[in-house]
Amino acid sequence: MAPVATPVIIVHGGAATVDDSRRELCMAGCERSANAGFEILARGGSALDACEAAVRVLEDDPEFNAGYGSVLTRLGHVEVDAAIMDGDLRAGAVGAVPWLRHPVSVARRLLETGEHVLLVADGALDFAREQGFFGEPPHALISARSRDRFERGQKKDKSADTVGACALDAQGRVASATSTGGIAGKRRGRVGDSPIVGAGLYADRALGAAAATGHGESILRVVMSKFAVDRLREDSAQAAAEMAIDEMVRRTGGEGGIILVDKQARTGHYCSTPRMPWAVQSSAGVQSGVENS
Ligand code: ASP
């Protein structure tokens, strides 16, 4: 099929503080992720496959709060949330799932089955097992960094490091995906914005796609990703990102960040936190950073 769009992918590594000592590591991790997604787009693959592949790279990277390296609950366990959505409003999501290294791929499988949009906790794990995913033993997803953060008292640690991706493919299709261990010290069973369609992510074939990060309880209440994608009717991806974060901060007092891609292959990224690692890759090459501009 002849290409109708210029493929592009944008990924983020979480709205957070990001010490200078981790700056390069986080940018390199985001670049590897964008690269994995873009390789698929460059071969004519789908935005959905690109987002899943990009998020899987970040889930494997202990610098980020997703999959391996997730923050711990107040009981010292890992419980992950993830989601994936395409512009045809197909979506799959899992929440509060114990020990899955690649929850985004379980969410993807749920999207493909089309039976449900969101499965949580043991039910999500049952589905994952049925589909041939094997939960890792509980301790296997705890990185040295997350153990250390837990022992130092996670509530004082404002790092978030959730991950997300948005892509546009050569056929003009958009998608987005998220994955997170949630917020440090959360209660067992807490689900944030990341697996919630409209809040943590959104995609609409006519407009574009968004993926959010930050204080889930605030993002949920302004349905931030849907808010941002709707702005694409009138505004650029960058303006939509800034408006969505301003709205969330103004209405809830929360903090966070967002990435977007629109149908014209323009990307946007913005955060109210000191930093949010990001990378964008297109045929023009890769760009990355940790600040708004
Ligand atoms: N939004 C995630 C949550 O509240 C956390 C994050 O983005 O870092 O679960």
Side-chain angles (χ1 to χ4, degrees):
M1 199 180 287
V4 299
T6 311
V8 63
I9 184 163
I10 179 166
V11 306
H12 77 76
T17 44
V18 189
D19 296 342
D20 284 343
S21 60
R22 294 183 52 241
R23 190 175 183 275
E24 298 301 321
L25 279 175
C26 290
M27 281 165 60
C30 285
E31 288 192 16
R32 275 194 301 277
S33 159
N35 195 259
F38 190 72
E39 266 181 22
I40 292 171
L41 298 175
R43 289 199 306 265
S46 72
L48 207 51
D49 283 343
C51 287
E52 181 184 351
V55 166
R56 283 179 66 96
V57 169
L58 296 168
E59 287 175 334
D60 274 331
D61 189 331
E63 285 308 314
F64 301 105
N65 169 23
Y68 176 62
S70 289
V71 296
L72 307 185
T73 65
R74 64 182 65 172
L75 298 177
H77 301 143
V78 169
E79 278 188 11
V80 295
D81 302 336
I84 189 161
M85 180 169 190
D86 73 10
D88 293 329
L89 308 185
R90 297 193 307 152
V94 291
V97 199
W99 33 281
L100 275 180
R101 180 176 284 254
H102 291 299
V104 72
S105 292
V106 180
R108 172 70 190 274
R109 204 63 70 81
L110 192 60
L111 176 153
E112 297 298 344
T113 65
E115 187 187 5
H116 301 301
V117 168
L118 172 63
L119 289 176
V120 300
D122 286 350
L125 209 50
D126 287 350
F127 174 77
R129 288 200 187 99
E130 258 171 46
Q131 296 288 321
F133 294 90
F134 297 101
E136 311 242 350
H139 57 273
L141 295 183
I142 302 179
S143 65
R145 179 165 171 257
S146 46
R147 169 65 62 203
D148 183 54
R149 289 164 86 177
F150 182 72
E151 280 162 6
R152 279 187 289 116
Q154 300 190 64
K155 284 202 157 163
K156 287 187 225 102
D157 186 345
K158 289 262 186 289
S159 292
D161 320 323
T162 281
V163 308
C166 301
L168 171 72
D169 66 31
Q171 291 182 44
R173 297 171 298 192
V174 291
S176 55
T178 56
S179 186
T180 186
I183 54 173
K186 67 185 181 180
R187 279 181 186 274
R188 182 168 171 257
R190 179 264 187 190
V191 174
D193 61 297
S194 307
I196 306 299
V197 167
L201 79 172
Y202 201 68
D204 182 331
R205 65 187 305 167
L207 298 169
T213 167
H215 185 236
E217 283 71 6
S218 302
I219 296 168
L220 279 163
R221 287 180 288 147
V222 296
V223 200
M224 191 167 83
S225 292
K226 174 78 162 80
F227 178 98
V229 169
D230 283 347
R231 298 283 82 73
L232 294 175
R233 281 182 222 285
E234 308 281 342
D235 297 292
S236 69
Q238 186 58 38
E242 293 175 20
M243 282 189 262
I245 294 300
D246 288 349
E247 172 79 0
M248 188 266 291
V249 171
R250 187 176 64 79
R251 300 289 305 277
T252 68
E255 285 200 296
I258 195 164
I259 55 172
L260 280 108
V261 65
D262 69 17
K263 295 280 295 184
Q264 290 75 43
R266 294 174 302 194
T267 58
H269 61 89
Y270 192 68
C271 63
S272 63
T273 48
R275 289 180 166 171
M276 177 178 76
W278 56 271
V280 175
Q281 190 159 356
S282 67
S283 56
V286 65
Q287 269 188 294
S288 64
V290 295
E291 267 128 20
N292 280 332
S293 48

